């Protein structure tokens, strides 16, 4: 149930805005029916407002980390678009379905922000309210639902309303009781009902209704079927939303601009062609009327015809009238009337033209008029045929007059091919009474011109113009009109926008279809690419999870040669370095623990006898007991050796601290290395008389003078000699050898002691490190002496090396020093 309660109205509103806005921008002329009368002039800006608001809302939903104002601005624009559409298309024309659904959508879209703080959406509440409103409205006022796009539901609209009421009640009960199965059952039923309404509005080509009901049907179906919402995190989701936006939005944007430009160009062309068609029809009619008037005037003034009328020469009159109504003539019939309206000569082609025509309006107008040619209103002849006639008076002299009449058949006029394109509808009507002269679509005549009911007579009183109007089916059309000069006629050319813009509509539909297809392909590709990337990143994630665990293999298989493969290789290298570092850290910790143990033991070793001796001396002093001078000297010497031992230990630790902090410096000066080596050996022999015989010294005969730090070289030689004595059995020799070489001085300290294992040689000069056999053959020390020796040698620019053939075979330490210390400036 929690899954359904989290469904948000924002997603539904954004989807509706995207679909409706796309249709308004790409196929605006499909919204040309009377229902969209108020919004049609602004259809493209309104569609753009829908698209921008829906797009920003979708971006805010898909990228929640973006600034909050993106979502707020998107919702505000979407609400403004929905409110404008609701008022202009639903409220003013009184559309019950649109009034309900858009009002509820706006209200719940505003209220949902508060509900989201409790982790709940209002989409189910919206669907339940729509169903509960549709049901009673369809039951009590079904006629309100069949006036517009839902006319096909007329016979059974009450049954649909009953189903809406049942499904809405079931969904409301499920929400109230928090039971998922009633909600899913109601959603499935609503999906079918909305799908049925979608099919119903498709039959009437109502794009907005189709969009809303289609999105509602799809939403209900998804809510009924989905058991778990996809997790909108991770690389797959990022790829999906990125590729979807990158593929669909550019196509829609470019397509919208292209469609707009094409529609504008086609609209300009349509209006231009309509004007051209009106101009062509007007010119033809003007030419026809002018020729007819001129021809009658010439005939009426002809001496032969006047003489024939005066003398009553019927044969002469017939010959001349035959010329007017012959096969090559302009008129369908011609006859002569006297001043009383009686027929002087009837038409040779139409036998019904005879008798008295004094009651005809055209005769009465001609009697009252002057000498000009008069054009009559259209009328039905005695044979019920539509005609118009041109009448001109003939002056016979002596105050007598006759009237020459030429008739044009409107039936023949209607058979003339229209000069406008086949897609245009042409009407010609008489402005005096609105009688229709010609209509290309149905061929009517003498009825009231249909365009007068669509546009209005006052609009057509201007000499020419171009307006848009709605036809009898509520479809929008362009109306171009112009007067025929010299006549009371007006030519009207109309073109339906839907048919005229059908190519652009098809193009827009193709663009939308291509955008949807591109989006679908992008989603599929994003899933494929995302799966591969996600699997590889999950392997890296698992590798990071076990990183630093000694018992787990941390290598990740690298596939391909892209950035992720390079990242994998980098991870493997990092893991290897971490393994080595951890190994070194573990070794360092072990060495540290060993050092602490040794340091505590080494420090305790001299302190214990010091304390014991001092306690003894204190007791003797308290007891007043004296001590003979010889014993006193031995005691003081023993105390002095322990103090020296403590001093060396503390000095070594201070030197290591200086090394680690970078404060280990040299003070160089001229120094004779031969004399220093002799002094060190003699001092050791004096301090350790029991081992004095073991020490042997080989020195050159000449002094070896160089620039070195005397104190540090003394420390170096003392450490090496003491170290050799410490690890050599009594009686074995220790040789100290100093010799001059071409590039400096070489010092060797060689013993025949316990030796060094081969695996310990590389780490021999590491602080706190002690070889395995040195630990077993404990001889004291902290493992700092050799590290200090290496630092002293390297600071002088030299090098030190240890060489041993193995345990029990002795060791030789070799030091190479340049004549002048490399660190003299330090």
């Amino acid at each position: 149930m929690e899954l359904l309660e989290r469904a948000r109205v924002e997603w539904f509103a954004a989807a509706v805005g995207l679909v409706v806005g796309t249709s308004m921008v790409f196929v605006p002329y499909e919204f040309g029916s009377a229902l969209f009368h108020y919004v049609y002039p602004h259809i493209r800006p309104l569609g753009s407002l829908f698209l921008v608001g829906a797009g920003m809302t979708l971006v805010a939903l898909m990228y929640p980390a973006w600034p909050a104002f993106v979502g707020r601005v998107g919702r505000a624009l979407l609400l403004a678009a929905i409110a404008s559409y609701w008022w202009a298309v639903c409220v003013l024309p009184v559309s019950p379905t649109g009034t309900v659904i858009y009002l509820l959508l706006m209200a719940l879209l505003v209220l949902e922000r508060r509900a989201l703080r409790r982790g709940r959406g209002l989409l189910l509440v919206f669907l339940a309210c729509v169903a509960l409103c549709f049901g009673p409205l369809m039951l009590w006022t079904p006629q309100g639902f069949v006036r517009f796009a839902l006319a096909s539901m007329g016979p059974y609209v009450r049954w649909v309303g009953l189903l809406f009421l049942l499904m809405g009640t079931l969904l409301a009960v499920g929400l109230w009781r928090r039971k998922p199965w009633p909600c899913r059952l109601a959603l499935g039923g609503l999906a079918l009902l909305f799908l049925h309404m979608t099919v119903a509005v498709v039959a009437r080509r109502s794009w907005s209704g189709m969009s809303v009901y289609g999105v509602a049907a799809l939403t209900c179906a998804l809510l009924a079927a989905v058991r778990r919402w996809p997790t909108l995190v991770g690389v797959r989701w990022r790829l999906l939303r990125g590729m979807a936006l990158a593929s669909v939005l550019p196509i829609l944007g470019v397509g919208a601009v292209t469609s707009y430009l094409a529609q504008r160009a086609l609209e300009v062309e349509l209006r231009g062609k309509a004007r051209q068609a009106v101009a062509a029809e007007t010119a033809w009619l003007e030419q026809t009327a002018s020729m007819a008037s001129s021809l009658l005037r010439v005939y009426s003034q002809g001496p032969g015809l006047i003489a024939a009328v005066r003398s009553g020469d019927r044969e002469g009159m017939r010959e001349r009238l035959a010329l007017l109504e012959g096969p090559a003539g302009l008129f369908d019939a011609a006859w002569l009337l006297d001043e009383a309206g009686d027929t002087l000569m009837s038409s040779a082609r139409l036998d019904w033209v005879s008798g008295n025509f004094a009651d005809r309006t055209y005769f009465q107008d001609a009697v009252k008029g002057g000498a000009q040619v008069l054009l009559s209103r259209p009328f039905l002849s005695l044979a019920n045929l539509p005609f118009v006639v041109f009448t001109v008076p003939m002056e016979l002299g002596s105050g007598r007059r006759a009237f020459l009449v030429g008739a044009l058949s409107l039936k023949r006029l209607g058979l003339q091919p229209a000069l406008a394109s086949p897609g245009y509808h042409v009407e010609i009507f008489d402005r005096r009474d609105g009688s229709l002269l010609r209509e290309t679509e149905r061929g009517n005549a003498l009825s009231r011109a249909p365009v007068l009911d669509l546009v209005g007579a006052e609009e057509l009183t201007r000499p020419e113009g171009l307006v848009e109007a709605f036809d009898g089916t509520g479809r929008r059309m362009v109306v171009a009109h112009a007067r025929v000069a010299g006549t009371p006629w007006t030519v009207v050319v109309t073109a339906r926008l839907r048919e005229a813009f059908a190519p652009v509509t098809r193009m827009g539909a193709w663009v939308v279809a291509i955008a949807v297809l591109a989006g679908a392909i992008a989603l599929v590709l994003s899933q494929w690419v995302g799966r591969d990337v996600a699997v590889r990143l999950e392997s890296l994630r698992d590798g990071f999870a076990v990183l630093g665990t000694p018992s787990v293999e941390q290598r990740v298989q690298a596939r391909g040669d892209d950035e992720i493969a390079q990242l994998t290789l980098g991870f493997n290298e990092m893991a290897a370095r971490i393994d080595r570092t951890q190994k070194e850290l573990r070794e360092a910790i072990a060495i540290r623990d060993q050092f602490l143990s040794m340091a505590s033991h080494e420090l305790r070793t001299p302190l214990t006898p010091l304390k014991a001796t001092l306690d003894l001396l204190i007791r003797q002093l308290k007891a007043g007991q004296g001590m003979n001078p010889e014993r006193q000297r031995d005691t003081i010497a023993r105390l002095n050796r322990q103090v020296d031992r403590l001093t060396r230990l503390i000095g070594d630790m201070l030197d290591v601290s200086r090394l680690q902090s970078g404060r280990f410096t040299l003070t160089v000066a001229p120094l004779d290395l031969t004399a220093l080596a002799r002094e060190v050996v003699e001092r050791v022999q004096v301090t350790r008389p029991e081992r004095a015989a073991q020490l042997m010294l080989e020195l050159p005969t000449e002094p070896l003078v160089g620039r070195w730090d005397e104190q540090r070289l003394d420390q170096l030689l003392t450490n090496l000699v003491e170290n050799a004595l410490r690890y050599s059995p009594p009686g074995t020799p220790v040789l100290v050898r100093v010799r001059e070489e071409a590039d400096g001085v070489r010092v060797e300290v060689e013993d025949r002691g316990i030796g060094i294992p081969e695996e310990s040689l590389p780490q021999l000069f590491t602080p706190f490190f002690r070889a395995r056999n040195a630990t077993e053959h404990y001889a004291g020390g902290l493992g700092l002496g050799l590290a200090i020796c290496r630092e002293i040698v390297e600071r002088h620019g030299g090098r030190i090396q240890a060489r041993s053939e193995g345990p029990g075979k002795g060791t030789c330490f070799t030091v190479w020093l340049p004549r002048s210390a490399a660190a003299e400036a330090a």
Side-chain angles (χ1 to χ4, degrees):
M1 190 60 195
E2 183 180 356
L3 173 73
L4 296 175
E5 290 178 342
R6 292 205 309 268
R8 298 166 64 172
V9 176
E10 283 179 317
W11 286 100
F12 179 84
V16 169
L18 192 63
V19 177
V20 174
T22 301
S23 60
M24 286 183 173
V25 171
F26 280 90
V27 286
Y29 294 101
E30 294 295 331
F31 293 83
S33 64
L35 181 65
F36 301 96
H37 175 73
Y38 299 102
V39 76
Y40 179 78
H42 316 287
I43 195 70
R44 284 197 187 95
L46 182 58
S48 301
L49 189 63
F50 266 113
L51 280 179
V52 174
M56 294 184 68
T57 303
L58 282 177
V59 169
L61 290 172
M62 291 190 293
Y63 293 90
W66 281 27
F69 80 89
V70 176
R72 288 196 291 267
V73 172
R75 283 190 299 273
L77 295 178
L78 189 57
L79 281 171
I82 294 174
S84 302
Y85 184 87
W86 169 73
W87 180 257
V89 179
C90 302
V91 176
L92 295 180
V94 192
S95 173
T97 54
T99 302
V100 168
I101 199 167
Y102 287 110
L103 180 60
L104 290 173
L105 184 60
M106 289 187 293
L108 293 179
L109 192 59
V110 173
L111 295 176
E112 191 177 50
R113 303 309 302 169
R114 181 176 298 178
L116 288 176
R117 299 172 186 171
R118 303 191 300 270
R120 298 184 60 184
L122 298 179
L123 183 55
L124 289 187
V125 176
F126 167 74
L127 294 173
C129 292
V130 169
L132 291 175
C133 290
F134 275 18
L137 285 174
M138 288 182 177
L139 287 173
W140 294 326
T141 58
Q143 66 277 3
F145 285 82
V146 299
R147 287 192 306 133
F148 298 109
L150 299 177
S152 59
M153 296 176 58
Y156 46 90
V157 65
R158 293 182 185 273
W159 292 104
V160 175
L162 180 61
L163 291 175
F164 264 116
L165 185 59
L166 292 176
M167 293 300 105
T169 303
L170 183 61
L171 181 58
V173 171
L175 284 173
W176 177 51
R177 301 294 299 273
R178 295 181 60 82
K179 298 293 183 181
W181 68 265
C183 293
R184 296 188 186 278
L185 181 61
L187 289 169
L190 288 177
L192 295 177
L193 291 173
F194 283 124
L195 180 61
H196 179 73
M197 296 184 70
T198 304
V199 174
V201 297
V202 166
R204 295 293 297 271
R205 301 181 69 175
S206 174
W207 288 74
S208 58
M210 181 173 58
S211 303
V212 174
Y213 298 138
V215 172
L218 182 60
T219 301
C220 292
L222 287 176
L223 291 174
V226 173
R227 293 295 183 269
R228 182 175 62 86
W229 292 117
T231 304
L232 303 182
V233 294
V235 67
R236 295 188 187 182
W237 166 242
R238 291 179 179 272
L239 281 173
L240 185 144
R241 69 188 182 187
M243 293 185 70
L245 292 177
S247 60
V248 175
L249 292 185
I251 295 177
L252 287 178
V254 173
V257 174
T258 305
S259 177
Y260 172 75
L261 295 177
Q263 289 165 4
R264 293 295 297 176
L266 191 58
E267 185 176 348
V268 172
E269 182 181 1
L270 175 66
R271 292 173 178 268
K273 285 186 176 181
R275 287 193 174 95
Q276 291 175 5
V278 168
E281 294 284 344
T282 303
W284 173 68
L285 288 173
E286 184 177 347
Q287 182 182 7
T288 301
S290 178
M291 289 177 60
S293 298
S294 300
L295 186 59
L296 279 183
R297 183 177 290 109
V298 170
Y299 268 72
S300 68
Q301 295 174 358
L305 180 59
I306 293 175
V309 174
R310 283 176 180 173
S311 63
D313 185 3
R314 299 183 62 83
E315 188 64 29
M317 289 187 289
R318 182 176 290 110
E319 288 178 0
R320 285 164 176 77
L321 291 181
L323 294 174
L324 287 174
E325 60 181 14
L330 182 62
F331 295 99
D332 295 284
W335 61 90
L336 285 168
L337 301 176
D338 62 12
E339 291 179 315
D342 291 324
T343 304
L344 294 175
M345 177 55 63
S346 63
S347 171
R349 297 182 60 186
L350 302 177
D351 56 359
W352 50 263
V353 182
S354 61
N356 186 279
F357 294 93
D359 60 333
R360 291 292 185 175
T361 304
Y362 65 84
F363 178 77
Q364 297 172 3
D365 292 339
V367 172
K368 297 176 184 178
Q372 72 271 20
V373 179
L374 298 180
L375 177 60
S376 73
R377 297 182 183 183
F379 63 92
L380 284 176
S381 67
L382 296 177
N384 288 325
L385 296 176
F387 276 89
V388 291
V389 297
F390 291 83
T391 308
V392 61
M394 297 175 57
E395 296 296 334
L396 302 178
S398 302
R400 295 176 56 198
R401 288 196 306 174
F403 297 92
L404 178 61
V405 181
L408 292 178
S409 173
L410 297 182
K411 185 175 182 181
R412 184 167 68 88
L413 185 66
L415 295 177
Q416 293 291 329
L419 301 178
S421 301
Y424 294 84
H425 176 69
V426 179
E427 295 181 21
I428 304 171
F429 68 92
D430 193 311
R431 292 190 300 274
R432 291 171 293 187
D433 57 2
S435 298
L436 187 64
L437 301 176
R438 179 186 180 189
E439 185 182 17
T440 57
E441 189 170 289
R442 291 181 292 271
N444 294 338
L446 298 186
S447 60
R448 178 176 172 81
V451 71
L452 295 175
D453 298 327
L454 301 179
V455 178
E458 65 280 359
E459 181 67 32
L460 300 177
T461 56
R462 295 183 296 173
E464 62 179 2
L466 186 71
V467 296
E468 291 189 6
F470 295 94
D471 62 11
T473 61
R475 298 301 176 183
R476 203 166 189 91
M477 60 185 183
V478 172
V479 180
H481 63 92
R483 293 180 179 180
V484 180
T487 70
W489 298 344
T490 295
V491 177
V492 178
V493 174
T494 60
R496 291 182 176 86
L497 293 180
R498 170 173 286 180
E499 287 75 9
F501 286 88
V504 180
T505 300
R506 286 193 294 270
M507 184 194 73
W510 275 110
V511 170
V512 175
I514 291 172
V516 173
L517 180 61
I521 294 174
L523 295 182
V524 173
L525 290 177
S526 67
Q527 287 298 301
W528 177 65
V529 175
R531 184 181 298 108
D532 177 67
V533 175
V535 168
R536 295 160 69 182
L537 291 179
E538 287 170 0
S539 300
L540 283 174
R541 181 197 60 193
D542 297 339
F544 277 108
V546 300
L547 194 63
T549 306
S551 60
V552 179
E553 178 64 33
Q554 299 170 8
R555 301 298 180 267
V556 178
Q557 182 180 1
R559 295 181 296 174
D561 57 353
D562 54 7
E563 289 81 358
I564 297 181
Q566 296 172 5
L567 178 63
T568 303
L569 293 175
F571 169 79
N572 290 334
E573 294 175 0
M574 180 188 68
R577 289 196 300 270
I578 290 176
D579 287 342
R580 291 193 297 270
T581 303
Q582 285 187 332
K583 183 178 180 180
E584 294 173 357
L585 286 174
R586 288 192 292 270
E587 293 175 353
I589 291 173
I591 292 173
R592 182 202 63 187
D593 294 341
Q594 183 181 3
F595 162 73
L596 292 175
S597 176
M598 290 186 301
S600 61
H601 180 76
E602 290 293 329
L603 291 174
R604 191 181 297 112
T605 299
L607 287 175
T608 300
L610 272 175
K611 181 174 176 56
T613 303
L614 290 174
D615 287 343
L616 177 62
L617 290 176
I618 291 172
R619 286 197 302 270
Q620 289 178 349
L621 290 174
K622 287 182 178 181
Q625 299 177 355
M627 184 179 295
N628 59 54
E630 183 67 24
R631 187 173 180 182
Q632 187 175 5
R633 283 195 300 273
D634 292 341
T635 300
I636 293 174
R638 191 164 57 252
L639 291 174
N640 188 55
R641 285 195 299 273
Q642 299 302 330
V643 171
D644 289 341
R645 186 173 182 180
L646 281 173
T647 302
R648 285 197 303 274
L649 290 172
I650 295 172
D652 288 346
M653 288 189 287
L654 289 175
D655 286 339
V656 170
S657 176
R658 294 190 189 102
L659 289 175
Q660 293 176 347
S661 62
R663 294 182 290 106
F664 194 90
T665 59
L666 301 179
T667 303
V668 298
L671 171 67
D672 182 4
L673 187 60
T674 302
L676 179 63
R678 184 181 294 111
E679 179 183 346
V680 169
V681 170
E682 290 176 354
R683 184 173 65 247
V684 172
Q685 288 175 336
V686 171
T687 56
R688 304 188 65 173
E690 71 280 3
R691 309 295 293 271
Q694 293 181 246
L695 280 173
M696 293 180 291
L697 183 63
E698 292 185 6
L699 298 175
T701 57
E702 299 294 331
L704 294 178
V705 179
R707 293 184 62 81
W708 299 301
D709 187 323
E710 180 180 0
Q711 180 181 356
R712 292 303 180 186
L713 289 186
D714 185 295
Q715 183 180 3
L716 167 70
L717 294 174
T718 301
N719 282 344
L720 292 178
V721 172
E722 290 283 356
N723 199 59
L725 291 174
R726 184 179 301 115
Y727 294 106
S728 296
T732 58
V734 173
L735 176 61
V736 178
R737 185 184 298 111
V738 179
R739 65 179 64 176
E740 183 178 11
E741 292 189 348
D743 55 349
V745 178
R746 177 174 179 172
V747 179
E748 293 180 345
V749 179
E750 184 177 1
D751 62 62
R752 296 289 183 269
I754 63 174
I756 301 174
E758 183 179 359
E759 66 274 8
S760 298
L761 286 175
Q763 302 182 61
L764 193 62
F765 297 98
T766 303
F768 312 120
F769 178 79
R770 293 170 63 87
R772 174 174 47 80
N773 59 340
T775 304
E776 296 171 354
H777 182 78
Y778 179 72
L782 298 176
L784 298 175
L786 292 179
I788 296 172
C789 290
R790 183 187 66 179
E791 188 68 21
I792 292 173
V793 172
E794 291 179 350
R795 289 297 181 99
H796 280 83
R799 62 185 187 277
I800 185 170
Q801 176 183 328
R803 184 177 70 256
S804 176
E805 297 181 1
K809 296 183 179 181
T811 305
C812 179
F813 287 90
T814 303
V815 176
W816 289 272
L817 293 174
R819 284 285 189 172
S820 179
E824 181 177 352

